[in-house]
Amino acid sequence: MPDQPSQFDGARVLADLHALRGIGAYKTGVHKPTFSEAHMRSLAWLAERLPEAGLAAEIDGIGNVLGTSAKSGPKLLAGSHLESQNYAGWLDGPLGVVYALEAARVLNPDPKVGGAVEVASWCDEEGHFGSFLGSRSYVGALTEADIDAARDRNSPRSMRDALREVGLAGRPRARAMRGRHIGYLEAHIEQGETLESSGLAIGVVTSIVGIWQYKISFEGEQNHAGTTRMAIRRDAGLALARFCVEIDDRFPGACGPRTVWTTGQITLDPGAPSIIPGHAEMLFQIRDADPAVIARLEDLLRSMAADVTAQGRCSVAVECIRTGAPALMDGAIQEAIETASADFAGGRSIRMPSGAGHDAQILATIMPAGMLFVPSIGGISHHWTENTADADIVTGARVFVETCRRLLAR
Ligand SMILES: [Zn+2]
């Protein structure tokens, strides 16, 4: 390692991000599904860079890349992911990995910095094969049976086949060593428009929202669409449509300031133009950082369902099929991001929850975790036009490096 401490280099951060954008390029974004050729080349790219930061690189048996340091002193874990959604943006994932790499390059060789930043790229954050498979493996929450069951959502290929094809089958999976890390820090694009619309540079993430999902089923009576008079119909599809509209009318009176809800799928049974649907189903999702808000909204859903059933035409059943407790970000890490923002981003920061899921919520189950957001132009993400201004990318990187420095110095 050089004796001269290396300086923060914003141009180097941008050059690295553009190098990753050049692997699997699609229009101005990228197409890098998990275990695609472009994804694997991106992992190799990172593994080649890690020694520049004094880190020993390994790609483990589930596709996580980990850079570990032999330097004495506290270790801070930092990273994000390198695969993308299909035909999506260039910054979702790589931004956090390159920020972590830059922090390691600046801080690890510096003899005045006690300890080191260790870099991670978590596999399959975008869920091509499952849900946070890479980070769950690292924290010890993924079994061999989970991997046996994982399938590519875009092809019949199993995860086992994919691991074999890319040469990772049989490698050990890296596991977190309890007590090794003082915490985990992840940077990400906001993927919303809060920062841009307020002229802010940094989002200090307070929590990652929980996701609750419901299957709402409507029972009516299947019948002939030509001979059944309107007055006596028991149309389950119509009841479902009315229910959706009623949710939108009544939820605003009971929700929190940042609650969001979505009907993502509707099924009519039998689903034919000349048959009145006798059965209908909707998949309905609510996201919020406060379980009390979710509990209130779930009560409201159930009482609305009971009212419709009491009217006698159709019966409605509400079944909760997924619950997710929100992950709270560590208070001391939030403070470190905020003070670094005061010094290096003119104080243009705001505390905010994350409406999207991130690997930090998995790491938060075993160590203090924190997240920092940078603005997304137009709030657009999961699309190839996703972008962030160069100046915001560089400011975010500087704040990230200085946050790492503060955390290691505590
Ligand atoms: Zn992401």
Side-chain angles (χ1 to χ4, degrees):
M1 259 187 284
D3 288 339
Q4 279 302 312
S6 137
Q7 299 291 313
F8 170 77
D9 186 345
R12 176 168 64 181
V13 169
L14 290 169
D16 283 349
L17 286 169
H18 283 283
L20 284 167
R21 187 187 209 170
I23 305 173
Y26 171 76
K27 299 190 180 180
T28 60
V30 294
H31 178 59
K32 299 192 207 193
T34 303
F35 299 136
S36 62
E37 193 263 343
H39 178 222
M40 295 310 294
R41 269 204 288 147
S42 301
L43 301 188
W45 179 94
L46 176 63
E48 281 165 27
R49 303 266 128 17
L50 291 172
E52 294 169 14
L55 297 171
E58 91 170 282
I59 304 180
D60 83 348
I62 196 139
N64 289 334
V65 181
L66 289 149
T68 35
S69 169
K71 195 176 172 185
S72 63
K75 308 283 185 303
L76 178 69
L77 188 59
S80 192
H81 59 94
L82 289 176
E83 82 285 337
S84 75
Q85 287 285 335
N86 293 333
Y87 308 103
W90 67 300
L91 294 171
D92 180 352
L95 181 107
V97 173
V98 169
Y99 279 17
L101 174 63
E102 180 65 11
R105 278 188 301 221
V106 171
L107 301 174
N108 295 0
D110 188 340
K112 295 197 296 296
V113 175
V117 174
E118 298 196 317
V119 176
S121 168
W122 309 113
C123 195
D124 203 38
E125 191 274 346
E126 295 293 4
H128 292 272
F129 285 84
S131 173
F132 301 108
L133 295 179
S135 50
R136 276 168 57 210
S137 171
Y138 186 72
V139 305
L142 188 74
T143 65
E144 292 296 312
D146 291 333
I147 300 174
D148 291 340
R151 292 266 176 297
D152 189 347
R153 63 175 147 95
N154 294 305
S155 78
R157 184 166 74 148
S158 71
M159 179 131 192
R160 291 288 183 203
D161 288 344
L163 286 167
R164 228 180 340 264
E165 280 164 29
V166 300
L168 295 178
R171 285 196 200 187
R173 292 192 273 137
R175 284 282 299 273
M177 284 165 61
R178 300 274 158 163
R180 177 177 180 86
H181 296 109
I182 56 170
Y184 173 73
L185 186 64
E186 178 167 357
H188 208 276
I189 50 168
E190 184 202 339
Q191 306 178 285
E193 35 64 71
T194 299
L195 295 175
E196 186 188 51
S197 63
S198 319
L200 297 168
I202 302 290
V204 182
V205 178
T206 51
S207 62
I208 298 173
V209 296
I211 300 177
W212 279 258
Q213 206 150 287
Y214 301 88
K215 183 166 89 176
I216 307 178
S217 312
F218 300 76
E219 259 351 294
E221 187 175 63
Q222 185 178 324
N223 212 332
H224 196 292
T227 58
T228 314
R229 285 184 298 113
M230 299 309 286
I232 61 162
R233 289 186 181 205
R234 298 174 55 211
D235 184 334
L238 182 62
L240 180 149
R242 287 204 169 115
F243 200 80
C244 280
V245 172
E246 198 187 345
I247 287 173
D248 242 39
D249 286 343
R250 295 187 60 181
F251 266 39
C255 69
R258 303 204 46 139
T259 319
V260 290
W261 57 89
T262 307
T263 301
Q265 192 182 78
I266 289 173
T267 318
L268 301 182
D269 186 19
S274 293
I275 304 175
I276 300 163
H279 178 84
E281 247 174 50
M282 57 189 262
L283 292 182
F284 181 68
Q285 189 182 85
I286 314 175
R287 298 189 187 210
D288 199 276
D290 183 354
V293 170
I294 300 286
R296 203 158 67 218
L297 294 174
E298 185 174 321
D299 282 350
L300 178 56
L301 267 188
R302 291 188 191 284
S303 85
M304 284 165 50
D307 288 349
V308 175
T309 304
Q311 286 159 23
R313 286 236 168 163
C314 292
S315 64
V316 187
V318 176
E319 183 192 352
C320 183
I321 54 174
R322 173 180 172 178
T323 60
L328 298 181
M329 298 292 101
D330 181 69
I333 297 181
Q334 292 178 48
E335 257 165 53
I337 300 169
E338 211 157 54
T339 57
S341 301
D343 290 348
F344 295 94
R348 292 182 301 127
S349 70
I350 187 175
R351 294 196 180 208
M352 60 187 292
S354 170
H358 295 288
D359 288 306
Q361 76 198 55
I362 307 297
L363 275 299
T365 61
I366 61 160
M367 65 177 86
M371 281 196 83
L372 167 169
F373 281 163
V374 299
S376 294
I377 294 174
I380 292 168
S381 185
H382 286 187
H383 188 270
W384 56 267
T385 56
E386 165 190 289
N387 207 0
T388 296
D390 281 359
D392 286 336
I393 291 176
V394 172
T395 300
R398 188 75 206 266
V399 169
F400 189 88
V401 173
E402 297 307 323
T403 302
C404 292
R405 192 193 299 277
R406 282 165 164 75
L407 291 171
L408 286 173
R410 278 189 314 165

